Amino acid sequence: MRYSISFILLFFTLFSFAQKEFHVFPLNGKGMHGSPSGDGSLNNPWDLQTALSQTSKRVNGGDIIWLHKGIYTGNFISTLESTLANEYITVSAYKGDKVVLNGNSDNKVNYVLEVNGNNVIYKNFEITYFGDFTRLKSDKNFKATIGLNHIKGEDCKFQNLIIHNIPGSGIGSWKATGGTVIEDCTIYNNGYQGTRGHGVGIYVQNESDKTRVIRNNIIFNNYYKGIEVWSATSGTKREFVKNVSLTDNIIFNNGSPSGRPWSNLIIASGDAEGINVAKNIKVNDNVLYHNTDFNDFKNFGYGNSLTLGYISKALVENISISDNVIIGRNNTLNIMHAKSLVFRNNTVYTGYVHLATSSLPALKAGRLKLDHNQFYTRRTAGLRILKHKDYKLTYWQKTFGIDKNSQWKQLKNFEIHPVLKIQRLDKNPNHFNVVLLEKEGKDVMVDFSDYEIKEGASYKIYDVENRNRIIKSGKISSEITVQFPMNLSDFEKPLHNTIATKSANNFGVFRIGFDKQKEKKGFFSRLFGWLF
């Protein structure tokens, strides 16, 4: 026993010495400030660009770069890279500090933070634009910018980032970034106005056989689309719109700042040669929503939440859509150009479900597998193959042999449990995203008894559309339930925009945080807990 304890002590001692910590302060910050001539110590810290330029000889897997409180103004490029197998470099705000990267500078580059390099974690800070800038493409001094431009580098992780008010897309994560994870991020109010809205929440590609993971993000009120798994390029002879998993994301009201709803999620390619097609994409347990009046049973107007396929020569392949809530207006669900698809256990609220005639061969051949879905449409014949025919569910089932266990109802009979989602944050288990839909805008009681929350635990609730204000606080009841207020009106408008509107009173997305609850620790937890 004595030798075992000695070995454990030696192991943890070596571990603590192997892991290095470095410190960063704003270049011109008040009090302590970073410097290009610093050594990364707390007494002689780096500025941000110096820290992000370190080679793997100085900063490598297992090391942490701490960003201390402040506003870091400029445009930054990271070439950090871990050369150690399964070990990450971490770039994080320091232990609860508010860290903001402000890209509104005189530089001509088109990003706030550009990332090049494998196996790096970036987490717990904001990326935004402060002050005066134009969001009109026609203005002489306009500059389109990407908040986070992930050019290359596999197996990176972007966690708990807040990306907002960028005059362009929130995140661009391109084809040479396989295996990367984007999770627990809040991405909103990004984009600019040209002949239409421009700027999406996340633009993602993948050339690798490694799966890209986009998980538990909140993406809303961007000028154009929410997420694009997409390439507009034709003739490349390469495949780089593949192997992506989208799970537990909340994507809503994208297009609002430009005055027109756009797709909350599109999976497609514009390759006219049909080589670089969207394939091997999974969409599970997401909420896709556009502002909807559930008392208007006609449900007219454009309001697409999910589009599959863009041109008939690039049919999407091996797409799995399951357990999602998909709500919008006339054309909520567009299965436009599909070669193979599984569509199961989804709730769809729309004027019509749309399919293009290019999907007919796959439909007739049984490669479009639809079942166990709940469809709410304007008319009884609500399943429409464009320029071909409208189908009632019974005739649809008989003709194509699909949706045998699905149900159909008219819009006026729409029913859904008001708690659409309770999702615990992976890296902050005392915090939850909560999505509510109550047709009349009434307050909703939410049950947390499945989440190990104890009676009397303190909580704070934030509306993600007005995220800096606590809308309710208290202690949880003996029933382990919390009543969430709906019918809220205050929201954080996009900077330099007068068009965007808040979600309808029937829909709300919230973050609730519970105080950490004390737990009894075992011997080893008490002995070594300070290391973690």
Side-chain angles (χ1 to χ4, degrees):
M1 180 67 180
R2 183 175 69 252
Y3 295 111
S4 297
I5 293 175
S6 297
F7 175 79
I8 292 170
L9 288 172
L10 176 62
F11 173 80
F12 280 106
T13 301
L14 291 173
F15 177 85
S16 64
F17 279 110
Q19 181 179 6
K20 294 181 290 186
E21 297 187 0
F22 301 94
H23 298 270
V24 177
F25 283 80
L27 189 61
N28 297 308
K30 296 180 180 179
M32 182 72 75
H33 61 273
S35 170
S37 61
D39 58 15
S41 66
L42 186 57
N43 292 325
N44 192 16
W46 287 320
D47 67 281
L48 181 55
Q49 187 54 67
T50 300
L52 297 177
S53 301
Q54 297 300 311
T55 68
S56 57
K57 292 181 180 179
R58 185 68 184 278
V59 180
N60 211 336
D63 295 344
I64 299 175
I65 296 176
W66 291 115
L67 309 184
H68 288 263
K69 180 179 179 180
I71 297 172
Y72 295 75
T73 297
N75 307 92
F76 306 96
I77 182 167
S78 175
T79 54
L80 294 169
E81 181 165 279
S82 171
T83 60
L84 303 179
N86 303 315
E87 293 284 345
Y88 289 86
I89 297 169
T90 298
V91 179
S92 173
Y94 182 77
K95 301 180 180 180
D97 279 5
K98 183 173 182 179
V99 172
V100 181
L101 275 57
N102 167 35
N104 192 3
S105 70
D106 293 332
N107 293 336
K108 294 182 179 181
V109 297
N110 64 347
Y111 55 80
V112 181
L113 174 62
E114 183 173 294
V115 170
N116 299 272
N118 302 325
N119 295 88
V120 185
I121 298 171
Y122 301 85
K123 65 180 184 178
N124 301 333
F125 55 87
E126 289 188 35
I127 300 175
T128 191
Y129 253 52
F130 285 139
D132 292 331
F133 60 93
T134 181
R135 303 186 94 145
L136 295 176
K137 187 179 181 181
S138 58
D139 285 354
K140 183 178 179 180
N141 58 342
F142 171 76
K143 183 177 75 170
T145 303
I146 295 177
L148 171 60
N149 198 27
H150 187 196
I151 296 290
K152 62 181 179 179
E154 294 191 347
D155 301 312
C156 290
K157 296 183 181 182
F158 302 101
Q159 299 170 337
N160 194 33
L161 300 179
I162 300 170
I163 304 176
H164 61 109
N165 282 312
I166 305 296
S169 293
I171 296 179
S173 194
W174 309 105
K175 52 182 173 285
T177 60
T180 289
V181 177
I182 303 171
E183 61 184 344
D184 295 349
C185 295
T186 304
I187 306 168
Y188 67 102
N189 289 359
N190 300 298
Y192 62 91
Q193 189 68 48
T195 54
R196 58 165 173 79
H198 296 263
V200 302
I202 301 176
Y203 194 127
V204 63
Q205 298 175 340
N206 185 19
E207 194 168 21
S208 168
D209 289 334
K210 298 178 181 179
T211 299
R212 294 294 316 271
V213 176
I214 302 175
R215 176 174 57 220
N216 199 29
N217 303 287
I218 303 175
I219 303 167
F220 65 97
N221 264 9
N222 297 289
Y223 273 66
Y224 193 39
K225 298 175 182 177
I227 298 178
E228 287 191 290
V229 184
W230 160 260
S231 171
T233 306
S234 186
T236 65
K237 311 294 185 182
R238 298 158 63 189
E239 295 182 338
F240 50 86
V241 189
K242 63 179 183 178
N243 303 331
V244 182
S245 171
L246 301 106
T247 306
D248 291 316
N249 299 288
I250 306 159
I251 315 171
F252 63 100
N253 289 344
N254 290 287
S256 174
S258 65
R260 180 196 176 184
W262 288 100
S263 299
N264 282 312
L265 170 61
I266 182 171
I267 299 169
S269 164
D271 185 7
E273 295 185 356
I275 297 172
N276 185 29
V277 302
K279 61 170 56 174
N280 303 335
I281 316 291
K282 295 182 179 180
V283 182
N284 301 328
D285 294 294
N286 303 278
V287 175
L288 312 177
Y289 170 91
H290 274 302
N291 278 345
T292 300
D293 182 354
F294 294 106
N295 294 313
D296 180 1
F297 305 135
K298 295 181 179 180
N299 199 32
F300 287 124
Y302 185 88
N304 171 255
S305 268
L306 175 60
T307 293
L308 305 176
Y310 180 69
I311 59 173
S312 60
K313 301 222 174 148
L315 303 173
V316 300
E317 299 180 21
N318 192 26
I319 309 297
S320 175
I321 314 290
S322 63
D323 300 291
N324 303 280
V325 176
I326 307 169
I327 292 175
R329 300 179 193 169
N330 185 50
N331 55 345
T332 301
L333 173 61
N334 289 340
I335 304 175
M336 299 304 292
H337 309 288
K339 183 177 181 179
S340 55
L341 166 74
V342 174
F343 190 88
R344 294 175 60 88
N345 299 321
N346 302 289
T347 298
V348 180
Y349 182 99
T350 183
Y352 291 87
V353 173
H354 288 159
L355 288 84
T357 53
S358 61
S359 296
L360 257 176
L363 195 60
K364 291 177 179 178
R367 294 195 300 271
L368 303 190
K369 304 180 185 297
L370 288 75
D371 205 2
H372 294 279
N373 301 298
Q374 182 73 59
F375 297 111
Y376 294 90
T377 66
R378 184 191 313 156
R379 295 182 178 175
T380 55
L383 302 163
R384 171 173 287 179
I385 300 177
L386 297 165
K387 300 180 181 179
H388 179 68
K389 193 170 186 176
D390 293 352
Y391 294 82
K392 294 181 179 179
L393 179 60
T394 52
Y395 190 41
W396 175 260
Q397 294 166 328
K398 181 179 178 181
T399 303
F400 301 112
I402 57 175
D403 275 317
K404 291 182 178 180
N405 299 291
S406 297
Q407 296 182 336
W408 168 90
K409 293 181 181 179
Q410 284 189 298
L411 296 180
K412 64 182 180 180
N413 296 317
F414 175 67
E415 294 180 359
I416 196 166
H417 192 281
V419 181
L420 300 186
K421 179 177 285 293
I422 303 174
Q423 185 64 38
R424 172 176 261 145
L425 273 65
D426 186 56
K427 303 304 177 185
N428 195 352
N430 294 307
H431 287 240
F432 298 80
N433 292 333
V434 178
V435 188
L436 307 177
L437 193 159
E438 209 292 323
K439 291 194 300 182
E440 305 302 324
K442 298 177 182 178
D443 292 354
V444 177
M445 192 68 73
V446 179
D447 185 349
F448 288 93
S449 58
D450 291 336
Y451 299 94
E452 303 87 41
I453 305 297
K454 297 180 180 178
E455 178 183 354
S458 297
Y459 65 83
K460 295 176 182 176
I461 301 175
Y462 300 81
D463 178 356
V464 300
E465 294 179 80
N466 193 34
R467 64 180 181 84
N468 291 310
R469 179 188 167 197
I470 299 170
I471 61 169
K472 184 177 180 180
S473 61
K475 295 183 182 294
I476 199 163
S477 68
S478 58
E479 291 80 16
I480 319 299
T481 58
V482 177
Q483 184 166 296
F484 280 69
M486 300 288 285
N487 198 20
L488 302 172
S489 58
D490 292 339
F491 83 111
E492 183 184 336
K493 296 180 180 180
L495 286 178
H496 316 308
N497 179 285
T498 60
I499 298 174
T501 59
K502 194 184 188 308
S503 292
N505 292 339
N506 54 51
F507 184 78
V509 181
F510 304 90
R511 175 72 55 81
I512 183 169
F514 293 95
D515 286 348
K516 291 183 179 180
Q517 299 171 54
K518 294 182 179 180
E519 297 179 359
K520 292 184 178 179
K521 295 182 178 181
F523 171 74
F524 286 103
S525 294
R526 294 194 303 272
L527 186 60
F528 300 119
W530 61 274
L531 286 170
F532 301 98

